[in-house]
Amino acid sequence: MTEMQMLMTLTLSLAVPFGVQLIKTEAMSGTAARFMAIALSLIAGVVTGFVSGIPSDPASWVTCVFALVGGVQTAYTLFKGVGVTSKWLDALLGVEIGGRDE
């Protein structure tokens, strides 16, 4: 993993939980939200692999993808431990993207 991939992994690991909360709806179950977070983590891991060019071997892909999945899960756990999930992430559930019909 290159330095640029490492920085991208750290950045996306902290950003993906916020993205998941913006996409998530109140009707979505916890299991569905968890799978959505893992899917977004996998996609972000592939994007991270492309940051410094196309990885030359499968081990580089696996490293990028699983580092990001683990990073997102760790970030979410840390966010929960310090109260970020109950304040900031839960507040994102009320954010509406786009216009509202009134």
Side-chain angles (χ1 to χ4, degrees):
M1 180 175 273
T2 65
E3 291 83 14
M4 191 60 146
Q5 287 171 328
M6 180 195 67
L7 291 172
M8 187 73 159
T9 299
L10 290 173
T11 303
L12 287 175
S13 291
L14 297 174
V16 167
F18 290 98
V20 169
Q21 272 317 95
L22 281 173
I23 296 169
K24 183 177 151 183
T25 64
E26 291 183 14
M28 188 178 287
S29 70
T31 303
R34 191 171 302 116
F35 281 115
M36 183 177 59
I38 291 171
L40 287 175
S41 300
L42 291 171
I43 292 166
V46 170
V47 169
T48 301
F50 283 118
V51 167
S52 62
I54 299 173
S56 58
D57 60 294
S60 295
W61 282 108
V62 171
T63 300
C64 289
V65 170
F66 285 107
L68 199 65
V69 171
V72 167
Q73 297 304 312
T74 301
Y76 187 77
T77 301
L78 291 173
F79 288 162
K80 192 170 192 161
V82 296
V84 171
T85 56
S86 61
K87 294 177 185 170
W88 296 350
L89 291 179
D90 288 343
L92 290 175
L93 282 174
V95 173
E96 289 196 26
I97 299 173
R100 288 194 299 193
D101 294 335
E102 295 185 40

